[in-house]
Amino acid sequence: MHYKRILLKLSGEALMGEKQYGIDSNRLNEYAEEIKEVVEKGIEVAIVIGGGNIFRGLAGAATGMDRVQGDHMGMLATVINGLALQSALEMTGVQTRLQSAIKINEVAEPFIRRRAMRHLEKGRVVIFGGGTGNPYFTTDSAAVLRAIEIEADVILKGTRVDGIYTADPEKDKNATKFDSISFQEVLTKGLKVMDTTAFTLSQENELPIVVFDMNKKGNLLKIVDGQTIGTTVNI
């Protein structure tokens, strides 16, 4: 396998599937099966998942809600999604641990770096919920931070498009896809991969990012096997 330890970043919206809100159980189970295939190959898998399918702090702030309060609600939404993914994975026979940056001991372990790394070494999938535990930081930032802390080889950002394009491929039919691109090129071209804080943190720590279509069966396994899938951002 091309990677030994990966951090998979999933958006909350990805769990909606064909729904307008909440969690699509079919999509959830599909993701669980994809992750199981990778775990069975001996890959150590950590996951950060967003909460946008339930609540987004910025959306709350736009309607007059206190931003800090809204962000805390968003963090709790990521824990809900983490619990759902944990359940789906365990139904497939994959051992899983959910760690939260917000203390919620009845349903999740607190995030402890050494404990998380030990779980990974034992072959357990570790899901990181609660974002960074701080308002004003996105789950993209949480993903990069956790990936650096657990010494992951790469961040795999699963989206609904198959990589990074010169423009939004859903809006511009002339948009062309990059197979690989440098961090500096992304910044120069003004392309949107992650929020600026997360992207800069990844660049500073020379942590590569692969953006790929998570909804296409087999893509995750192909990436960890070293195949060119999606777009790779590196130094």
Side-chain angles (χ1 to χ4, degrees), residues 1 6 30-43 45 89 92 94 125 216-222 224:
M1 294 289 104
I6 65 171
E30 287 171 5
Y31 283 177
E33 290 293 341
E34 294 284 306
I35 295 164
K36 179 184 179 181
E37 287 185 355
V38 172
V39 172
E40 288 177 340
K41 293 293 184 181
I43 306 300
V45 181
L89 283 166
T92 70
V94 176
V125 171
K216 186 172 181 179
K217 185 174 175 58
N219 268 358
L220 183 60
L221 183 58
K222 288 177 182 177
V224 298

Side-chain angles (χ1 to χ4, degrees), residues 28 82-92 96 127:
L28 190 67
L83 285 166
L85 184 57
Q86 180 181 40
S87 177
L89 283 166
E90 290 183 344
M91 286 179 67
T92 70
T96 313
I127 303 169

Side-chain angles (χ1 to χ4, degrees), residues 64-76:
M65 179 180 289
D66 177 74
R67 172 65 190 273
V68 174
Q69 201 82 340
D71 280 354
H72 280 129
M73 292 172 67
M75 291 178 215
L76 292 174

Side-chain angles (χ1 to χ4, degrees), residues 133-160:
N134 302 288
Y136 297 99
F137 288 92
T138 66
T139 49
D140 277 349
S141 292
V144 176
L145 180 62
R146 295 290 178 253
I148 294 167
E149 288 177 306
I150 65 170
E151 300 175 5
D153 299 319
V154 66
I155 293 178
L156 304 182
K157 183 171 182 178
T159 67
R160 62 185 184 185

Side-chain angles (χ1 to χ4, degrees), residues 6 8 19 24 30 55 68 77 95 97 133 136 138 148 152 155 162 164 195 202 204 206 209 227 229 233:
I6 65 171
L8 176 63
K19 295 186 175 183
D24 182 330
E30 287 171 5
F55 189 84
V68 174
Q95 290 192 355
R97 293 292 185 272
Y136 297 99
T138 66
I148 294 167
I155 293 178
D162 62 345
I164 300 171
D195 69 81
S202 185
E204 287 177 349
E206 299 183 2
I209 303 166
Q227 297 184 41
I229 300 292
V233 185

Side-chain angles (χ1 to χ4, degrees), residues 183-204:
F183 281 98
Q184 191 56 49
E185 283 181 292
V186 169
L187 294 172
T188 301
K189 296 177 186 295
L191 303 175
K192 186 68 175 175
V193 177
M194 290 180 165
D195 69 81
T196 306
T197 301
F199 192 76
T200 302
L201 186 61
S202 185
Q203 181 184 23
E204 287 177 349

